Amino acid sequence: MSGPHVVLDTGFGRGEQFLRLWAEWQAAPARGALHYLAIAPRPPAAADIAPAQLRALWPPLVPGLHRILLDDGRVTLDLMIGPAEALLPQIEARVDAFHVPAVAAGAPAIPARALARLAVRGATLWAGAPDEAQAWALRAAGFACEVVPDPTEGMAAATRPDADAAPATAGAAPEAAAPPDLRGVYASRKPQAAAPAAPERRAIVVGAGVAGSAACERLCAHGWDVTLIERHAEPAQEASGNLAGIFMPLLSKDDNIPTRLSRAAFLFALRQWVRLGGVGRAFAGASCGVLQLARDAGHAAVQREVVEAWNYPTEYVRWLDAAAASARLGSTTPHGGWLFEQGGWARPSSLCAALLDACGARLRRVFLAEALDLRRVDGRWQVRDAAGALVAEAPTVVLATGAGARALAQSAPLPLQALRGQVTHLAPERVPAQSLVVCREAYITPPFEGVICAGATYDDDADPALRAASQQENMARLAEILPAVRVADAPLAGRVGFRCAAPDRLPLAGALPDYPSAGRLERLRDVPRHPGLHCLLGYASRGIIWAPLMAELLVSQLEGLPAPLEANLAAALDPGRFLLKERRRSQ
């Protein structure tokens, strides 16, 4: 499998250039994959998107990078909403072709050096109406420039003088006005180094919860043969074994890293579930909405300010005052809250089953086998059980074992915690009827198959048994949300699970750091890694939304593809971040 053709468009506009190229790819199946990076300061609304497949996956117009997989993943559109000068430095990619529309008078020019660092040997650059200043900027960044007549095209072409192939002849986007008889030809003298060799696409995934199941689906979709090792007889028996997991994003006044990550993960998960067949159809759950109630009057004021300050689309979040929230809840609430219309709940075990079924024949399942020892022998990782017997062998291993990663020598140094969470199960007649998920200090789901889930506690102990004190804590918080709930004599019922969490409450997605080999470290790229050993860990209580995007990030790293996140967000998830901080403190 060869790598995709990567295009960077710094002015997506209404997307005509992408739509033309997409149509070309659909008409020529032998052309391989297309990866289109589109910077869109003001993208069109979903209603203005003509192709039904793309319109169904079009995100709410919120800032950040939105990965959209089309044609069963053969075509990828990374829609990046925001200004080009802010987004370009956050792109890590090997770009084959650039489309740079004409810059409006008074607008900042596209940074030429930011383009030059992304270009590969043979890359072409088409610039709309390049003026003298832009041409000089391209030359200063290491490009050579030639102007040739062309009365039909409105874009300028650029290619590298050391290219192995002739430049492409892509046409202009209609919005890119240019002199009718000029085309500028640019060529960089400093292309990126040659791409690394394609990986051997065989992997072992350890753990069949939402993290491991999503990893299997993404790997198999990219043509990998995967062996899944799980110590239980079925998937989703530990942290992913709860009857309901809530999916919703985070919001904050400063749009901080957790907020940006949760936004990207939440929206990517929604798109992936559409591709899988839909919530409530491909797997148990409902996109019924989530109402996050304010804790008090001060918190309500902050909630309202956040929605107003960021001007979020109403389909992403709406602020409801006390009257509107009470009407939606069907019960009086004093302060109002955020309504996430696209949020809801899902049954993790059902989701895992759907993800694993999507893998088809590329997936080999090895259940009732526990990975307790990892050894690297002749460029392969050998996974062995407690008796030392070989369970599986492959060049690549992905640890998705939650807190169980602490039992393996290579991942034991990671600062992971196992946080006990007890969920309470209630009969529907004990709770006032409600059709959406409601949360404040606790959450409560709508009834499904005769059960309502409420919880969950955050405890520091390792007791796996249900206990009355934890149930009372859940019920007290539930009574604050719904005062009419009958809590006094509820029978002890529910489930205990142990969430795997990192100190910063962010996931770990990427190559596993080699702690014993670490010396002085200054940057993440200095952190030594175990070759071929990766992890997807630390999902805490948000595994439902973290799993799809973290799996996509990991597969992009393995395949050498553009990341589905901005570079600073991907760095915030790097498993080497804790080792780097530790060394910086001690140096």
Side-chain angles (χ1 to χ4, degrees):
M1 181 188 295
S2 60
H5 180 71
V6 180
V7 178
L8 172 58
D9 184 349
T10 65
F12 185 70
R14 300 184 66 82
E16 289 92 341
Q17 178 68 32
F18 167 70
L19 294 176
R20 279 200 300 271
L21 204 54
W22 183 18
E24 289 179 21
W25 247 254
Q26 289 178 317
R31 294 185 73 172
L34 170 66
H35 199 124
Y36 200 94
L37 308 170
I39 295 178
R42 290 173 295 280
D48 297 324
I49 301 297
Q53 181 187 172
L54 182 57
R55 186 170 61 250
L57 299 172
W58 200 249
L61 302 185
V62 294
L65 193 160
H66 306 273
R67 174 155 294 180
I68 303 170
L69 303 178
L70 302 162
D71 295 347
D72 294 325
R74 180 170 171 254
V75 173
T76 299
L77 171 63
D78 281 348
L79 183 69
M80 294 173 276
I81 301 178
E85 60 270 22
L87 289 168
L88 273 172
Q90 296 297 324
I91 297 173
E92 295 293 340
R94 299 175 54 82
V95 177
D96 299 292
F98 298 86
H99 294 271
V100 184
V103 177
I110 299 301
R113 291 188 183 277
L115 302 177
R117 75 174 181 87
L118 300 173
V120 301
R121 177 182 291 270
T124 57
L125 186 149
W126 303 84
D131 59 17
E132 185 176 359
Q134 186 180 19
W136 276 109
L138 288 165
R139 289 190 183 99
F143 287 86
C145 175
E146 177 187 353
V147 178
V148 295
D150 188 321
T152 61
E153 301 289 354
M155 302 292 281
T159 185
R160 303 182 176 286
D162 52 2
D164 296 324
T169 57
E175 63 267 26
D181 59 347
L182 292 179
R183 172 186 293 174
V185 181
Y186 302 91
S188 172
R189 296 187 296 272
K190 300 177 181 178
Q192 288 194 40
E200 182 181 349
R201 293 183 172 89
R202 291 195 304 112
I204 298 166
V205 174
V206 184
V210 291
S213 299
C216 289
E217 188 276 331
R218 288 287 76 215
L219 285 164
C220 291
H222 279 264
W224 289 61
D225 294 317
V226 179
T227 298
L228 173 62
I229 299 176
E230 167 58 48
R231 67 176 183 164
H232 296 286
E234 299 288 340
Q237 296 301 298
E238 297 195 19
S240 299
N242 288 347
L243 295 184
I246 311 306
F247 55 91
M248 57 183 283
L250 292 170
L251 300 182
S252 64
K253 291 181 73 172
D254 60 352
D255 203 39
N256 54 32
I257 281 179
T259 297
R260 293 166 59 202
L261 282 167
S262 77
R263 179 167 65 227
F266 170 69
L267 294 174
F268 183 75
L270 296 184
R271 291 191 293 276
Q272 287 298 87
W273 297 339
V274 169
R275 296 180 65 245
L276 201 60
V279 182
R281 296 184 295 277
F283 55 91
S287 297
C288 54
V290 176
L291 179 59
Q292 183 176 349
L293 297 173
R295 297 185 298 271
D296 51 39
H299 187 216
V302 170
Q303 284 191 328
R304 183 169 187 168
E305 289 170 8
V306 167
V307 173
E308 291 175 350
W310 291 100
N311 194 29
Y312 289 116
T314 55
E315 69 267 29
Y316 184 68
V317 64
R318 284 194 291 144
W319 159 254
L320 301 184
D321 62 18
S326 297
R328 189 64 185 260
L329 185 61
S331 177
T332 301
T333 189
H335 303 299
W338 287 324
L339 177 63
F340 301 100
E341 294 275 14
Q342 296 175 309
W345 68 273
R347 178 156 292 177
S349 60
S350 177
L351 175 57
C352 290
L355 289 167
L356 296 179
D357 287 346
C359 296
R362 290 196 175 277
L363 180 67
R364 170 177 169 249
R365 311 181 195 209
V366 180
F367 286 7
L368 294 174
E370 188 167 11
L372 288 178
D373 182 62
L374 289 175
R375 306 176 193 174
R376 189 161 177 83
V377 179
D378 297 330
R380 302 280 190 274
W381 285 100
Q382 296 181 347
V383 179
R384 298 180 179 272
D385 61 18
L390 182 66
V391 179
E393 184 178 36
T396 299
V397 170
V398 179
L399 300 180
T401 54
R406 299 180 301 177
L408 292 166
Q410 292 84 355
S411 50
L414 295 172
L416 300 175
Q417 298 173 275
L419 299 175
R420 181 184 183 275
Q422 182 168 321
V423 177
T424 296
H425 296 166
L426 297 168
E429 58 268 19
R430 289 187 170 272
V431 181
Q434 32 88 43
S435 60
L436 76 171
V437 176
V438 187
C439 57
R440 188 160 64 186
E441 296 300 309
Y443 68 81
I444 180 170
T445 65
F448 181 73
E449 296 182 345
V451 176
I452 289 173
C453 297
T457 63
Y458 265 82
D459 307 313
D460 253 342
D461 61 272
D463 181 8
L466 290 171
R467 60 190 184 212
S470 295
Q471 173 147 317
Q472 290 166 5
E473 180 181 337
N474 284 336
M475 299 302 275
R477 291 175 174 171
L478 177 57
E480 293 174 355
I481 298 174
L482 299 168
V485 69
R486 292 167 50 202
V487 300
D489 58 344
L492 183 62
R495 186 180 187 276
V496 174
F498 293 88
R499 316 171 185 91
C500 176
D504 57 10
R505 295 297 187 266
L506 293 178
L508 287 72
L512 204 67
D514 183 353
Y515 275 74
S517 298
R520 184 178 180 85
L521 303 175
E522 298 291 342
R523 294 156 296 187
L524 272 172
R525 67 187 185 191
D526 301 328
V527 174
R529 312 286 175 156
H530 291 285
L533 184 56
H534 305 263
C535 67
L536 295 168
L537 301 167
Y539 288 9
S541 56
R542 293 184 174 269
I544 289 286
I545 67 165
W546 289 134
L549 185 59
M550 297 305 103
E552 179 72 12
L553 174 61
L554 179 61
V555 174
S556 297
Q557 293 169 348
L558 292 171
E559 290 277 315
L561 302 174
L565 282 168
E566 298 94 316
N568 62 348
L569 297 185
L573 304 169
D574 192 309
R577 65 190 188 267
F578 303 108
L579 176 56
L580 178 61
K581 290 176 184 176
E582 176 187 308
R583 287 294 190 271
R584 282 177 171 172
R585 285 194 299 264
S586 63
Q587 288 170 182

